[in-house]
């Protein structure tokens, strides 16, 4: 279908379309004659004077062809109301014939009619949608070509300019703006796929560019800073390819340059190939690059992804501060950082919160707020708490996170030692009854740096001898003496709380479940539970001595079997 505007003059001209020419009194006549696939319908936009002067010329010249000429009577368009009516009449007339492939001719009519038809072309290009009953997903209205005839006096040829790229340019600008504001590359991908560069050989280039754009869009909206860094590097490297695709688009080079400018802040300068992630260095610059993505996601309403990445950023910051940057992507390294943050949070909620420095208390608060808000959103509100961004509690958490994040992302120096003590020790917790061989074997099995022993007044005297036999200094042993080792349940809580300052400085807590009275065993189990509540890694083992009881008593310091229990299923450290 051809949409054209008629003027009040019908002067002969030799029109040229490509290498073909045809002499006609009106541009739409020449376009129909020169078209390789002539339109079946010509919609002729006519003011009252144009209908009187040139509509019959158009009909007469096309009468011998299978082309239906349909006039669209329009006002002159000299006021806003008339312009609105003009546009409504044209868009409705085209829509009535959908689905259709449409050519538009801007040659004749009032000068401002060309602008109005250009506006119609933009509207149809941008809002044409997909036919609901179309099995191929073809657009309802596809603007194929936009012609403008440069009228010259005979015998000079009047060239038809192809203004289709000018119609596509706003779509590219919109796609680029959509990407800059939302991170979605879908519109850009569709533009790359459909743009007619008139180059048959650019298929592989388009395919590569589509892949790069999809990679970037996925990495942004999924909050993947490393994958985004690599994808944006690939896209930046392929910038010349996009310029090649867009060489026919007005400002095409500028569009390609602007796209690269948008992603440049996220580029990761590392080589590709297998194992590329292992080559990424964790340092202040990398943390700043990732923080840029956190800020972008938050500022562009990708709050769940921003919180998820912020959480991982905080973990990476702890990893860097603890000197483990070389293994920063290792699962165990990150888990240890999470445990430390969980310890801060748990400790802040106990009577021992004074063990935390001011900056550790801030970390504890930030870690907790991120976890609470992130979990609420990542579980999609599937809890008893209603999620409302305008809610006071929601806003309070959000504001606390924003303030703490703003400070932490500046990368201040962090002292992560609880109570000023390094968390490097492996602590053994062991009950001790009247069989000193239990402590002896526990020390040899665990090889601890420090030991906490739950004992009675009677068994306390066995500690030094068992330690000496195991080659362990008794100076590194603390004891908790139970006044009533058989039924003193009320003593357990105080024992647990007394040892919290020791526990929180441990890198690992190892618990022996063999020995002592039942009540001592319960006390040791409670200490282990407390350690876990403080997000400390806990391992458990039992001792097996198959010798007769009398022999165990007479020769206590004999190595026995040690059985390490399986680790308990880990809790989601996101909640810590």
């Amino acid at each position: 279908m051809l949409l054209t505007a008629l003027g009040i003059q019908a002067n002969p001209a030799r029109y040229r379309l490509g290498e073909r020419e045809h002499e006609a009194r009106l541009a739409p006549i020449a376009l129909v004659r020169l078209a390789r696939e002539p339109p079946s319908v010509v919609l002729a936009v006519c003011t009252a004077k144009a209908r009187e002067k040139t509509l019959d010329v158009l009909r007469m010249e096309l009468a011998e062809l299978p082309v239906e000429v349909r006039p669209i009577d329009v006002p002159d368009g000299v006021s806003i109301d008339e312009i609105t009516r003009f546009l409504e009449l044209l868009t409705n007339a085209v829509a009535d014939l959908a689905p259709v492939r449409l050519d538009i001719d801007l040659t004749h009519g009032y000068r401002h009619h060309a602008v109005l038809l250009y506006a119609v072309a933009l509207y149809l290009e941008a809002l044409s949608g997909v036919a609901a009953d179309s099995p191929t997903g073809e657009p309802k209205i596809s603007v194929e070509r936009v012609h403008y005839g440069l009228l010259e006096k005979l015998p000079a040829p009047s060239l038809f300019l192809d203004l289709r790229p000018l119609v596509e340019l706003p779509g590219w600008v919109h796609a680029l703006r959509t990407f800059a504001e939302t991170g979605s590359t879908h519109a850009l991908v569709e533009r790359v796929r459909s743009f007619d560069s008139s180059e048959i050989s650019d298929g592989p280039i388009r395919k590569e560019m589509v892949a790069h754009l999809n990679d970037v869009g996925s990495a942004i909206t999924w909050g993947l800073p490393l994958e985004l860094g690599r994808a944006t590097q690939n896209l930046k490297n392929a910038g010349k390819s996009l310029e090649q695709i867009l060489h026919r688009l007005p400002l095409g080079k500028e569009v390609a340059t602007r796209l690269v400018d948008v992603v440049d802040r996220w580029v990761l300068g590392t080589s590709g190939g297998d194992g590329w992630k292992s080559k990424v260095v964790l340092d202040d610059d990398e943390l700043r690059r990732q923080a840029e993505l956190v800020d972008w996601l938050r500022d562009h309403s990708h709050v769940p992804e921003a919180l998820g990445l912020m959480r991982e950023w905080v973990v990476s910051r702890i990893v860097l501060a603890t000197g483990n940057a070389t293994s920063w992507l290792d699962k165990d390294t990150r888990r240890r950082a999470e445990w430390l943050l969980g310890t801060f949070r748990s400790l802040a909620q106990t009577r021992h919160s004074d063990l935390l420095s001011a900056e550790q208390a801030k970390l504890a608060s930030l870690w907790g707020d991120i976890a609470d808000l992130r979990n609420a959103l990542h579980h999609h509100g599937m809890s008893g708490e209603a999620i409302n961004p305008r809610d006071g509690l929601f806003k309070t958490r959000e504001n606390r996170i924003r303030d703490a994040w703003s400070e932490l992302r500046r990368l201040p120096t962090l002292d992560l030692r609880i109570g000023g003590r390094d968390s490097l020790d492996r602590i053994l917790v062991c009950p001790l009854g009247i069989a000193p061989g239990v402590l002896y074997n526990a020390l040899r099995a665990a090889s601890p740096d420090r030991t906490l022993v739950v004992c009675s007044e009677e068994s306390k005297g066995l500690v030094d001898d068992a330690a000496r036999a195991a080659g362990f200094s008794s100076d590194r042993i603390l004891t908790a003496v139970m006044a009533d080792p058989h039924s003193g349940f009320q003593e357990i809580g105080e024992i647990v709380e007394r040892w919290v300052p020791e526990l929180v400085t441990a890198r690992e807590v190892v618990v022996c479940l063999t020995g002592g009275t039942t009540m001592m065993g319960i006390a040791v189990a409670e200490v282990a539970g407390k350690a876990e509540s403080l997000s400390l890694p806990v391992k458990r083992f039992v001792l097996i001595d198959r010798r007769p009881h009398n022999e165990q008593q007479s020769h206590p310091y004999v190595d026995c079997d040690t059985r390490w229990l399986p680790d308990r299923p880990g809790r989601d450290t996101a909640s810590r």
Side-chain angles (χ1 to χ4, degrees), residues 160-473:
F160 278 117
L161 290 181
D162 180 11
L163 300 184
R164 167 69 184 172
L166 279 179
V167 175
E168 292 192 328
L169 177 60
W172 279 96
V173 173
H174 172 73
L176 188 58
R177 183 173 181 179
T178 298
F179 169 59
E181 292 180 350
T182 70
S184 172
T185 56
H186 176 74
L188 282 170
V189 166
E190 293 306 310
R191 288 284 160 187
V192 170
R193 282 175 173 161
S194 62
F195 184 66
D196 180 12
S197 65
S198 297
E199 298 289 342
I200 298 175
S201 62
D202 71 0
I205 297 176
R206 286 176 189 260
K207 186 176 181 180
E208 179 186 42
M209 183 57 60
V210 165
H212 291 330
L213 287 169
N214 280 329
D215 289 346
V216 169
S218 298
I220 290 177
T221 54
W222 293 348
L224 305 176
L226 300 183
E227 284 73 10
L228 176 60
R230 190 184 188 201
T232 51
Q233 180 66 66
N234 291 338
L235 183 61
K236 185 176 181 180
N237 293 341
K240 293 297 182 182
S241 298
L242 184 58
E243 290 182 21
Q244 180 179 340
I245 294 172
L246 301 183
H247 74 279
R248 291 184 62 252
L249 182 74
L251 300 178
K253 183 176 181 179
E254 287 73 10
V255 169
T257 300
R258 177 56 182 155
L259 174 59
V260 171
D261 289 343
V262 170
V263 304
D264 196 51
R265 76 185 90 171
W266 298 316
V267 167
L268 180 62
T270 186
S271 57
D274 295 338
W276 63 270
K277 273 192 173 183
S278 64
K279 302 172 187 176
V280 180
V281 177
L282 177 64
D283 55 17
D284 288 357
D285 288 340
E286 175 58 19
L287 286 175
R288 291 189 185 98
R289 189 189 69 85
Q290 294 187 23
E292 287 280 345
L293 180 56
V294 173
D295 292 343
W296 188 93
L297 289 168
R298 180 195 61 196
D299 295 342
H300 291 80
S301 300
H302 297 282
V303 177
E305 291 77 16
L307 289 169
L309 179 54
M310 187 184 294
R311 177 192 182 277
E312 295 305 319
W313 188 98
V314 173
V315 172
S316 297
R317 178 69 187 95
I318 298 302
V319 169
L320 182 60
T322 53
N324 294 304
T326 56
S327 60
W328 72 288
L329 294 177
D330 182 75
K331 184 177 181 180
D332 289 338
T333 298
R334 301 188 70 79
R335 183 183 289 119
R336 286 194 294 272
E338 292 168 353
W339 280 332
L340 180 57
L341 288 162
T343 299
F344 287 166
R345 185 187 185 190
S346 299
L347 201 56
Q349 298 168 346
T350 71
R351 73 187 195 189
H352 303 285
S353 59
D354 58 340
L355 291 172
L356 297 176
S357 66
E359 68 179 8
Q360 290 168 353
K362 290 180 181 178
L363 273 173
S365 177
L366 175 61
W367 186 247
D369 283 334
I370 291 174
D372 292 342
L373 197 52
R374 169 191 178 275
N375 289 347
L377 296 177
H378 279 233
H379 288 295
H380 304 280
M382 296 301 168
S383 68
E385 179 183 357
I387 306 299
N388 185 343
R390 299 188 305 275
D391 178 70
L393 179 58
F394 188 99
K395 294 299 293 183
T396 298
R397 284 177 180 162
E398 196 173 37
N399 290 338
R400 283 202 306 259
I401 290 173
R402 183 193 62 232
D403 294 343
W405 167 250
S406 178
E407 182 177 342
L408 186 61
R409 77 179 306 283
R410 297 191 189 105
L411 303 178
T413 301
L414 297 179
D415 184 354
L416 303 176
R417 298 175 301 166
I418 298 175
R421 296 164 59 183
D422 290 319
S423 300
L424 300 175
D425 290 351
R426 189 185 208 198
I427 291 181
L428 168 65
V429 183
C430 180
L432 179 60
I434 60 174
V438 170
L439 180 56
Y440 165 84
N441 276 284
L443 290 169
R444 290 176 62 81
S447 298
D449 299 293
R450 286 179 288 149
T451 300
L452 308 178
V453 176
V454 178
C455 59
S456 65
E457 194 65 45
E458 179 183 1
S459 62
K460 180 180 179 182
L462 301 174
V463 171
D464 289 349
D465 190 51
R468 189 180 310 109
F472 191 85
S473 173

Side-chain angles (χ1 to χ4, degrees), residues 455-458 480-488 490-491 495 520:
C455 59
S456 65
E457 194 65 45
E458 179 183 1
V481 179
M482 296 191 71
D484 184 356
H486 298 285
S487 59
Q490 69 282 359
E491 300 178 51
I495 292 173
M520 290 178 186

Side-chain angles (χ1 to χ4, degrees), residues 495-506:
I495 292 173
V496 171
E497 291 301 322
R498 187 195 315 164
W499 281 350
V500 165
E502 300 296 326
L503 293 173
V504 295
T505 61

Side-chain angles (χ1 to χ4, degrees), residues 537-549:
V538 175
K539 293 185 178 297
R540 296 168 172 83
F541 68 94
V542 295
L543 301 172
I544 301 175
D545 189 344
R546 295 182 173 86
R547 297 179 299 155
H549 179 70

